Amino acid sequence: KYIKELHEIDRIVKIKDSLDEEKIFAINVDYYENKEDYYVFSLTDITKLKEKSNLFEYQASHDKLTGLFNRNKFDEVYSKELKRSKRYNNELSIIIFDIDNFKMVNDNYGHQIGDNVLKEIAKIILKNVREQDVNVRWGEEFLILLPQTNLAGAVTVASKLRIAIKEHLFTPEILKITASFGVSQLLSEDSETTFISRSDTLLYEAKKTGKDKVIS
C-alpha cells in the first residue's frame, strides 16, 4: 500500500545482494486484471544508470528556473492521480494561481527581477505544502495538485499561500507582490480537461473581480 501510493518518481528502493552490496531498483506498479487488491510489481535494476541518468531525468521533469515540476512531468503524474482518485474514490483537488500584474514587474524592473520573483514564489510554495503534493510551474502560472484533499483543505492551502506571498518582501528590489487563486475539487463526471479548465476559470474570475483572492 505504501509503495502504491507513492508518486512514480519516488518509487526507488535499495536492496542488498548476496555480496552485501546495495543495488538500486525502480519499482513499477500495474493493476492486475482489474482486481482492486492485486498488483504486478516490476523491479528494474538501475544501479549503473542512476548516477548518469539522475541529471538528465531531473532536467527532463523539472522547470529549469524554479526547480518545480514542468508541464511534461505534470501531464504524466496528473493522469495517474486522476485514475487513482476515481478508482478508489479518493479526494483530489487543484490550486492554480498566478502573480497579479506580473507583466508590470518585468516591464518596470526587467526580466532578471521577474525571474527572481518566480524563484522566490517557488520557495514559498515548497514551504507551505505537503511532501506528497505535486508542484508545477505552468507557464506563467503555478499549479498544485493535492492528493487526498477536499475542497476546504485546498482552499486553506491556497489562502495560506496567498497571505505568505502578500507578506513576503521580494528581493533585491523589495517588491510587494500579490497573487490570485482558483481552487477546485475533482468531481465524478470530470475529465482531465474539465478539472483543470474549471480551476482556470475560477482563477480568471479571481483576477477579474479584484485580484489577491482565492475563489473556489
Side-chain angles (χ1 to χ4, degrees), residues 5 30 73 108 190:
E5 290 180 353
D30 290 308
K73 184 61 182 178
N108 293 337
D190 269 330

Side-chain angles (χ1 to χ4, degrees), residues 102-162:
F102 186 58
K103 185 178 183 301
M104 289 177 59
V105 173
N106 283 326
D107 290 346
N108 293 337
Y109 299 97
H111 288 278
Q112 183 64 50
I113 299 299
D115 286 351
N116 288 340
V117 168
L118 294 174
K119 287 189 274 190
E120 291 187 46
I121 290 281
K123 290 177 183 177
I124 292 171
I125 292 172
L126 294 174
K127 284 181 182 177
N128 288 280
V129 300
R130 304 167 303 178
E131 188 175 343
Q132 65 264 40
D133 295 331
V134 181
N135 309 298
V136 185
R137 183 181 174 197
W138 186 277
E140 289 193 358
E141 299 176 350
F142 293 89
L143 186 150
I144 305 168
L145 186 66
L146 301 101
Q148 298 182 345
T149 304
N150 61 19
L151 184 62
V155 167
T156 298
V157 174
S159 299
K160 190 176 172 184
L161 284 169
R162 185 190 68 79

Side-chain angles (χ1 to χ4, degrees), residues 32-201:
Y32 180 72
E33 295 183 351
N34 295 319
K35 296 180 180 178
E36 286 194 10
D37 297 324
Y38 292 85
Y39 305 89
V40 176
F41 281 65
S42 307
L43 280 75
T44 305
D45 187 343
I46 59 171
T47 310
K48 293 180 180 179
L49 297 174
K50 190 62 179 168
E51 284 190 16
K52 291 182 180 179
S53 66
N54 265 353
L55 179 59
F56 296 117
E57 183 179 301
Y58 181 88
Q59 290 173 335
S61 61
H62 289 73
D63 173 57
K64 183 178 179 181
L65 180 66
T66 63
L68 302 179
F69 280 144
N70 59 24
R71 178 69 179 267
N72 288 338
K73 184 61 182 178
F74 173 74
D75 288 343
E76 178 187 328
V77 174
Y78 178 56
S79 178
K80 292 181 179 179
E81 285 294 345
L82 241 68
K83 289 174 184 175
R84 179 182 295 137
S85 178
K86 291 195 173 188
R87 184 179 184 85
Y88 296 103
N89 200 28
N90 291 335
E91 293 167 326
L92 181 68
S93 295
I94 278 183
I95 297 170
I96 297 181
F97 76 93
D98 74 359
I99 301 164
D100 297 329
N101 304 313
F102 186 58
K103 185 178 183 301
M104 289 177 59
V105 173
N106 283 326
D107 290 346
N108 293 337
Y109 299 97
H111 288 278
Q112 183 64 50
I113 299 299
D115 286 351
N116 288 340
V117 168
L118 294 174
K119 287 189 274 190
E120 291 187 46
I121 290 281
K123 290 177 183 177
I124 292 171
I125 292 172
L126 294 174
K127 284 181 182 177
N128 288 280
V129 300
R130 304 167 303 178
E131 188 175 343
Q132 65 264 40
D133 295 331
V134 181
N135 309 298
V136 185
R137 183 181 174 197
W138 186 277
E140 289 193 358
E141 299 176 350
F142 293 89
L143 186 150
I144 305 168
L145 186 66
L146 301 101
Q148 298 182 345
T149 304
N150 61 19
L151 184 62
V155 167
T156 298
V157 174
S159 299
K160 190 176 172 184
L161 284 169
R162 185 190 68 79
I163 293 169
I165 292 168
K166 187 173 184 176
E167 293 180 347
H168 184 76
L169 292 177
F170 289 82
T171 56
E173 297 292 334
I174 318 298
L175 299 176
K176 296 292 288 183
I177 300 289
T178 62
S180 300
F181 295 75
V183 185
S184 63
Q185 181 177 343
L186 181 69
L187 305 176
S188 58
E189 65 269 22
D190 269 330
S191 65
E192 291 185 17
T193 303
T194 59
F195 186 23
I196 289 183
S197 177
R198 188 168 66 256
S199 308
D200 217 24
T201 299

